[in-house]
Amino acid sequence: MVITTLADTLVRSVENVTDTVNETLFEPVIRLGVTGLARAGKTVFITSLVANLMDRGRMPGLVAAQEGRFASAFLQPQPDNTIPRFDFETHLNALTAPEPHWPDSTRAVSELRLSLKVQPAGLLSGLQGPRVIHLDIVDYPGEWLLDLALLDKDYVQWSREVLERIEDRPEATAFLQMLSGTDGASRHEETRAKHLASAFTAYLKAARGAGYYDCTPGRFLLPGDLEGAPVLTFAPLPAGDAPRRSLAREMARRFEAYKAEVVKPFFRDHFARIDRQVVLVDALGAIHKGPKAVEDMRRAMADILGAFRPGRNDFLTRLLMGKRVERILFAATKADHLHHSQHDRLAAIMAALTREARDRAQFAGATTEAMALAALRATTEHSGTHEGRVLDMVRGKLLDTGRQAAFYPGELPEDPNALLAPARDGAEAWLDGDYQVMNFAPAPLTLRPGEGPPHIRLDRAAQFLIGDRL
Ligand code: GDP
């Protein structure tokens, strides 16, 4: 029996070795991370990207497809047995049903393997058959990425910073009131801890709704299967005595457990293995919410970039051991809310935000790019007159009422600074008018054979993210 076990182990390790050799020599793997804060458009992006890689009729910007080198793309079982599979089929069914609807959003990490069969380019192209390249797409909430900053802090420092930040925010009133009646040195009681944690979570949710991005710990917003667990049952407390068995001592212990048992494993198991990354940003949503939301989005982008900067954090540096993400795309989603005459302006705003985030994070390393796209085009373009002026609008079915409507979101400035400068200076509202957003329902699709769902610049995004490896 010992011998069989031994032999079994041997065979397995040989299998493992051949697997690895196969992968590295013959079947390269690209791990593409897709992230962004809640509702940024991750689920729709992945669903449409995969569908459009399988049927490439609308992907002229993907060079390998344009050159006719793309033989096929097919889904395969993913290599990671413990990560939930991204539910591509259900999401695609939602978008392509006779009465289409938006799919359920990302709540936790998930993964999908799409294998691409591509004829190599260049001198050897005629001599070799097509190669298989595996694209492992990893979907994870951006909120979890922002937690990296927590690793540098202890509970007292974190509490101080959070309490300073939320002091004047109306969304925090209820939590702060509860806090004023709380003595951290008093004996720990679970009910009290729970009340504080749920009031703090309610604050985080309200702050998120109001457009703030600094809403960590990220799992408080998207707990996944940790809902109600002690690692999520803490809240910041003002500095003070923390004797044994006190509330403050227990809160500090849970904060450390959150770092060790939630944040670190995420970075180790998922983040550290990513080669290419797309960060989706609902920039139009933030512009609609106002200058504060835009400024906050800019900070969040810098924080996100900071996570991709090896050397910033000891834990991460050790974890990455010199490996780094090669390309990062910051993409403004839902560009189909704008007539194409305004797409360049949205892209310019995204580019300016990315540049500033790079400067702020003192980022050097990966190639970054900014873009405006729509993973699923839900509107058509329409020119109409309003108050005697001809306006470039978009038309679609409104999500709330189901009625068709034409929509003009406002005119984005040609110079991104017209938005970014007031945002940086802490303006309360935009000087020149308002920017509206509208929720459109996905339009019913009639797809011809070989065509994926309609999109805007998804092909260019794919070219930037993986085109060089095909
Ligand atoms: P996630 O939370 O990042 O996974 O976000 P989702 O992919 O679920 O998208 C959130 C919502 O944004 C969707 O339910 C849609 O209402 C909207 N949305 C996402 N992508 C697009 C797009 O390309 N065009 C339009 N018009 N709306 C989109």
Side-chain angles (χ1 to χ4, degrees), residues 313-375:
N313 178 288
D314 278 351
F315 162 73
L316 207 55
T317 311
R318 266 182 281 122
L319 195 66
L320 294 174
M321 290 191 301
K323 177 184 182 309
R324 57 171 61 178
V325 169
E326 300 150 335
R327 289 170 176 236
I328 306 171
L329 173 66
F330 281 99
T333 51
K334 313 180 196 180
D336 58 328
H337 284 214
L338 294 176
H339 188 272
H340 78 269
S341 54
Q342 293 217 56
H343 288 176
D344 285 351
R345 296 183 179 194
L346 180 60
I349 292 168
M350 211 53 210
L353 278 165
T354 308
R355 218 168 18 248
E356 292 193 23
R358 275 189 81 107
D359 293 347
R360 196 185 267 255
Q362 299 179 338
F363 183 81
T367 314
T368 54
E369 168 98 33
M371 203 177 272
L373 58 80

Side-chain angles (χ1 to χ4, degrees), residues 390-429:
V390 179
L391 294 179
D392 284 340
M393 304 193 256
V394 293
R395 230 185 125 73
K397 184 169 143 185
L398 300 183
L399 199 56
D400 317 341
T401 60
R403 288 211 336 260
Q404 285 285 331
F407 169 65
Y408 181 69
E411 190 170 334
L412 293 175
E414 211 160 330
D415 176 5
N417 255 323
L419 291 183
L420 302 190
R424 208 174 358 200
D425 298 343
E428 288 292 331

Side-chain angles (χ1 to χ4, degrees), residues 37-44 102-106 334 336-337 374-376 378:
L37 300 175
R39 316 290 299 159
K42 299 178 286 295
T43 309
V44 178
W102 295 111
D104 289 343
S105 294
T106 300
K334 313 180 196 180
D336 58 328
H337 284 214
L376 189 92

Side-chain angles (χ1 to χ4, degrees), residues 2-57:
V2 174
I3 292 173
T4 26
T5 324
L6 200 69
D8 198 32
T9 325
L10 255 175
V11 172
R12 266 216 229 110
S13 41
V14 171
E15 268 170 10
N16 280 346
V17 170
T18 29
D19 268 2
T20 324
V21 171
N22 264 336
E23 277 195 353
T24 44
L25 284 186
F26 308 114
E27 295 190 348
V29 177
I30 311 172
R31 278 183 85 83
L32 170 66
V34 178
T35 197
L37 300 175
R39 316 290 299 159
K42 299 178 286 295
T43 309
V44 178
F45 178 88
I46 297 175
T47 308
S48 183
L49 177 69
V50 171
N52 276 291
L53 285 172
M54 292 171 84
D55 288 303
R56 295 166 297 280

Side-chain angles (χ1 to χ4, degrees), residues 419-456:
L419 291 183
L420 302 190
R424 208 174 358 200
D425 298 343
E428 288 292 331
W430 303 118
L431 262 186
D432 304 321
D434 261 343
Y435 300 96
Q436 302 302 323
V437 285
M438 206 31 90
N439 287 323
F440 290 108
L445 301 176
T446 32
L447 300 180
R448 286 195 293 261
E451 259 183 6
H455 62 81
I456 299 169

